[in-house]
Amino acid sequence: MANSRSGDSMTSRIVRVLDSFTGERTVQTATQIARRTGMPQSSAHRIVNDLVEAGLLERDDENRIRLGMRLWELALRGSRALRLRQAALPHMEAVQAQIRQHTQLAVLEHDEALFLERLSDPDSGANVTRIAGRLPVHASSAGLVLLAHADPAVRERVLAAPLRSLSPETITDAEALRKLLTSIRRRGHVVAPGSIEVISTGVAIPVRDHEEVVAALSVVLPRASPTEPAVLALLAAAKSIERDLQNSH
Amino acid sequence: MANSRSGDSMTSRIVRVLDSFTGERTVQTATQIARRTGMPQSSAHRIVNDLVEAGLLERDDENRIRLGMRLWELALRGSRALRLRQAALPHMEAVQAQIRQHTQLAVLEHDEALFLERLSDPDSGANVTRIAGRLPVHASSAGLVLLAHADPAVRERVLAAPLRSLSPETITDAEALRKLLTSIRRRGHVVAPGSIEVISTGVAIPVRDHEEVVAALSVVLPRASPTEPAVLALLAAAKSIERDLQNSH
């Protein structure tokens, strides 16, 4: 009933349609959606119509399709992402006011770092992070913290897979990475110079809900900046976020 | 293919499942989801399994279901909500730093005000608004601004429907409301004392993208506060947001 002849569930086809939208591609025609998802035109048009009717997609006067406000509402209203982000935002603002560089909150999602929030100062430097964007766990400072505290099975899976180089300084050797993860658990934070972009240093620490690490808080500094003030600001913020998460239960 | 025997599309059933989660109900069992959506247990369990497999829902160790991070990611990544909110956030922070009360951003969604962002000061007063929550357009200050600038067809539909009273001061007379909407368009802002809660006054102004009103920016003040500083702060913020939206095209 819910399956097409190809055995592909209706849910997974809806995901493919939603997944064809990105921060750089916010408007598409149904024909483009069909091409990008590899679905037959007729199926893609039918699913798009269904999703428009349900409000998950919106169609403008020129027949172009965007993600709908209803989708946004359904995805956020009862989400862990919103709860985490609400607990974190005031304390991220405090970090940002003090350090005046990009301040970010990420969670582990399917072996990658998914960014829930990002605050930027007009004067802050280069930063590839986007809200609802992802970065590899072995390269981003937030990802390294998340990986250090992940389930051992996740850690072994990431270490066993090819470790892609994002910059000449990305750690791509599994044994070196394993040592770094041990040191992150011992020291309680990471300073990752140049692992994403040679001109920047990421600094990150874990955020706990009860005993479990649920997120990483990070700042991206220009390479030459001292890192100690950032570590201290992040530690203070994480402590406050953890207190607010406790109180929100 | 995508339809159940009841003629209810798979998409609309997925929406019903997602819609059963709220800010107060973030964790449910599949059995509770079936009961709340009015679906047969077998269908509800099957859809929940499908959604868990696609990552749109997550199942914890105790077999309880939550909204998934993947849903959050898909809903936000290419969304108009995120673009608006990113343009607005720094300027909302400026309003909040100055007025030190709740500062909010809302859009019109199916004849209601849907709140995209809310910043709160620890000292700010009562406020019923929630992120991804809704308020009636005829009662909330943000809603009144959105309604004043809505398509005439939307305005007539809202005015023709019963106007629910949220407080003794909510305007529930269609003709009085029509006059208020005209004055909002002429004056460029609204001051709505007591229309949601008698102890608060809402102040709101429109935010335009090119010529079109795409959102409303509002603050909720304690009833006795002067409103003029809030109006001025909102006007300055709206101007900055409009400039940033222009530049983000």
Side-chain angles (χ1 to χ4, degrees):
Chain A
M1 182 173 83
N3 293 308
S4 75
R5 270 152 301 187
S6 67
D8 191 13
S9 82
M10 185 65 187
T11 308
S12 75
R13 303 168 107 199
I14 289 173
V15 168
R16 276 159 65 196
V17 170
L18 299 180
D19 203 17
S20 70
F21 292 85
T22 68
E24 287 69 47
R25 194 162 64 215
T26 60
V27 180
Q28 306 182 83
T29 63
T31 305
Q32 289 169 327
I33 292 172
R35 201 174 55 232
R36 288 189 180 120
T37 57
M39 280 184 211
Q41 286 289 343
S42 59
S43 321
H45 279 80
R46 197 168 52 235
I47 292 177
V48 165
N49 284 343
D50 255 25
L51 291 170
V52 168
E53 199 163 314
L56 302 192
L57 296 180
E58 290 170 4
R59 196 192 303 272
D60 69 16
D61 299 341
E62 294 157 63
N63 221 11
R64 298 177 311 172
I65 311 293
R66 304 164 192 268
L67 295 179
M69 283 290 176
R70 178 80 174 129
L71 173 64
W72 180 89
E73 179 185 18
L74 290 172
L76 258 81
R77 210 173 46 187
S79 78
R80 192 158 55 92
L82 181 60
R83 177 171 166 269
L84 256 173
R85 183 270 188 194
Q86 283 302 88
L89 188 62
H91 310 297
M92 293 178 68
E93 286 172 0
V95 172
Q96 218 230 342
Q98 206 181 324
I99 307 298
R100 308 194 71 78
Q101 298 294 341
H102 306 283
T103 308
Q104 309 170 138
L105 182 73
V107 296
L108 185 68
E109 161 67 18
H110 271 202
D111 302 358
E112 294 185 294
L114 174 64
F115 286 83
L116 298 189
E117 186 57 276
R118 165 191 162 156
L119 299 180
S120 296
D121 196 81
D123 299 328
S124 40
N127 183 359
V128 296
T129 315
R130 297 282 170 274
I131 294 176
R134 292 171 178 243
L135 283 176
V137 276
H138 70 282
S140 58
S141 61
L144 287 165
V145 161
L146 294 168
L147 188 60
H149 295 278
D151 196 278
V154 172
R155 212 148 55 222
E156 291 312 314
R157 189 164 60 218
V158 170
L159 288 167
L163 297 166
R164 187 160 61 92
S165 183
L166 274 80
S167 92
E169 294 171 85
T170 309
I171 298 174
T172 54
D173 175 72
E175 279 320 300
L177 188 55
R178 196 186 294 277
K179 275 188 198 132
L180 176 60
L181 297 177
T182 307
S183 102
I184 292 171
R185 282 193 298 275
R186 203 178 53 236
R187 299 175 62 192
H189 71 269
V190 69
V191 173
S195 59
I196 297 270
E197 296 184 292
V198 287
I199 56 167
S200 308
T201 296
V203 179
I205 58 155
V207 176
R208 290 180 170 82
D209 191 2
H210 293 84
E211 292 304 298
E212 193 192 353
V213 171
V214 291
L217 197 62
S218 65
V219 291
V220 180
L221 305 172
R223 186 68 181 258
S225 303
T227 57
E228 194 61 19
V231 173
L232 294 175
L234 289 174
L235 283 171
K239 208 164 175 175
S240 302
I241 296 170
E242 289 167 5
R243 186 198 58 217
D244 288 0
L245 281 173
Q246 291 269 357
N247 294 339
S248 77
H249 274 291
Chain B
M1 180 175 81
N3 293 306
S4 75
R5 269 152 302 189
S6 66
D8 192 12
S9 82
M10 185 65 187
T11 307
S12 74
R13 302 170 109 200
I14 290 173
V15 168
R16 275 158 68 195
V17 170
L18 299 180
D19 203 17
S20 70
F21 291 85
T22 68
E24 288 70 46
R25 194 161 66 216
T26 59
V27 180
Q28 306 182 81
T29 63
T31 305
Q32 289 169 327
I33 292 172
R35 203 173 56 232
R36 287 187 181 122
T37 56
M39 279 182 210
Q41 288 288 345
S42 59
S43 322
H45 278 80
R46 198 168 50 233
I47 292 177
V48 165
N49 284 343
D50 255 24
L51 291 171
V52 168
E53 199 163 313
L56 303 192
L57 297 180
E58 289 169 4
R59 195 192 304 272
D60 68 17
D61 299 340
E62 295 159 61
N63 220 10
R64 297 176 313 170
I65 311 292
R66 305 165 191 268
L67 295 181
M69 283 290 176
R70 178 80 173 128
L71 173 64
W72 179 89
E73 179 186 17
L74 290 173
L76 257 81
R77 210 173 44 188
S79 78
R80 191 158 53 94
L82 181 60
R83 177 171 165 267
L84 255 173
R85 183 272 188 191
Q86 284 301 88
L89 189 61
H91 310 297
M92 293 178 70
E93 285 172 0
V95 171
Q96 219 230 340
Q98 206 180 325
I99 309 296
R100 307 194 72 77
Q101 299 294 340
H102 307 282
T103 307
Q104 309 169 136
L105 182 72
V107 296
L108 186 67
E109 162 65 18
H110 271 205
D111 302 359
E112 293 184 297
L114 173 65
F115 287 83
L116 298 190
E117 185 57 275
R118 165 191 162 156
L119 300 180
S120 296
D121 195 81
D123 301 327
S124 41
N127 185 358
V128 295
T129 315
R130 296 281 171 273
I131 294 177
R134 292 173 178 242
L135 283 175
V137 274
H138 70 282
S140 58
S141 61
L144 287 165
V145 161
L146 294 168
L147 188 60
H149 294 278
D151 196 279
V154 172
R155 213 148 56 222
E156 292 311 316
R157 188 163 64 218
V158 170
L159 289 166
L163 297 165
R164 187 160 61 91
S165 184
L166 273 80
S167 92
E169 293 171 85
T170 309
I171 298 174
T172 55
D173 176 73
E175 278 320 300
L177 189 55
R178 196 186 294 276
K179 274 188 196 133
L180 176 59
L181 297 177
T182 306
S183 101
I184 292 171
R185 283 192 297 274
R186 203 177 54 234
R187 298 176 62 192
H189 71 270
V190 68
V191 173
S195 59
I196 297 269
E197 295 185 292
V198 288
I199 56 166
S200 307
T201 296
V203 179
I205 58 154
V207 176
R208 290 180 171 82
D209 191 3
H210 292 87
E211 291 304 300
E212 195 192 351
V213 171
V214 291
L217 197 63
S218 65
V219 291
V220 180
L221 305 172
R223 185 67 179 257
S225 303
T227 57
E228 193 62 17
V231 172
L232 294 176
L234 289 174
L235 284 171
K239 206 164 177 176
S240 302
I241 296 170
E242 288 167 5
R243 186 200 56 216
D244 288 0
L245 280 173
Q246 291 268 357
N247 294 340
S248 75
H249 275 292

